[in-house]
Amino acid sequence: MTASEPIMPPRQAMPGVELAACVPAGRVVAKVPVVAYLRRAKDLMDREYASPLVLDDLARAAGCSRFHFVRSFRTAYGHTPGRYLTLRRIERAKDLLRSVNLTVTEICMLVGFSSLGSFSSRFTEVVGMSPTEYRAKHPAAAPIPGCFLMTWTLPATTEKAPDPSGD
């Protein structure tokens, strides 16, 4: 086993219980809380929320079967992985609705939903109002044009330009 290979927990692990991580030849390397492995999948969802994530990939990131992953994730975080991902996408959509001048459909696609209908119904279920109502009730300050922002956020240079005369 090389140092870069992940140490996978036993599948019988229960959340919150420290278990000895297994390596080939049955050697015990370290006691690692199961939530550390679940955190890998949670971090993947936080990082790739806009991508189409599959339960099998998330379970693989946590190093367990998908059924055990769902049970363990719910116990550790209070939501199923699917619900957590939906809440993460809605959170990002709320931010975009307040801050950018994009249509609701464009925001829906940017945060990882494939259907405007499912996005609107989930958004309304979680927030209590439609995305359009949310945008109207939470107006952002005057948006800063991107070109202006990019100009003013360039790092300041402290070097003097070379003198063309050679002095």
Side-chain angles (χ1 to χ4, degrees):
M1 176 171 189
T2 65
S4 64
E5 291 179 24
I7 300 171
M8 302 306 244
R11 291 182 189 233
Q12 314 76 293
M14 294 303 295
V17 177
E18 291 196 2
L19 298 169
C22 297
V23 294
R27 292 186 357 221
V28 174
V29 173
K31 290 192 176 249
V32 180
V34 173
V35 74
Y37 296 102
L38 296 175
R39 197 173 303 127
R40 287 183 191 170
K42 185 175 178 279
D43 290 346
L44 177 64
M45 286 188 273
D46 289 339
R47 196 175 48 250
E48 301 291 330
Y49 66 89
S51 302
L53 296 171
V54 180
L55 185 60
D56 289 332
D57 294 336
L58 297 172
R60 193 174 308 113
C64 55
S65 75
R66 62 185 182 164
F67 303 108
H68 181 68
F69 172 67
V70 171
R71 284 190 307 271
S72 300
F73 194 93
R74 183 183 309 132
T75 302
Y77 296 111
H79 298 290
T80 63
R83 180 71 175 168
Y84 177 81
L85 184 58
T86 297
L87 293 174
R88 178 71 178 98
R89 288 173 172 171
I90 296 293
E91 174 189 318
R92 182 64 181 137
K94 286 169 58 178
D95 181 48
L96 291 172
L97 286 166
R98 286 189 308 263
S99 62
V100 298
N101 188 19
L102 295 173
T103 67
V104 173
T105 304
E106 289 170 326
I107 291 172
C108 159
M109 298 302 166
L110 278 174
V111 298
F113 284 92
S114 57
S115 161
L116 179 60
S118 64
F119 169 69
S120 294
S121 64
R122 295 294 176 268
F123 191 95
T124 303
E125 173 190 312
V126 171
V127 179
M129 62 183 80
S130 72
T132 306
E133 289 173 315
Y134 183 84
R135 176 177 268 167
K137 290 187 179 186
H138 298 88
I144 301 169
C147 59
F148 187 79
L149 182 67
M150 295 302 283
T151 300
W152 282 96
T153 57
L154 287 175
T157 57
T158 56
E159 297 177 15
K160 291 184 180 181
D163 187 14
S165 63
D167 294 332

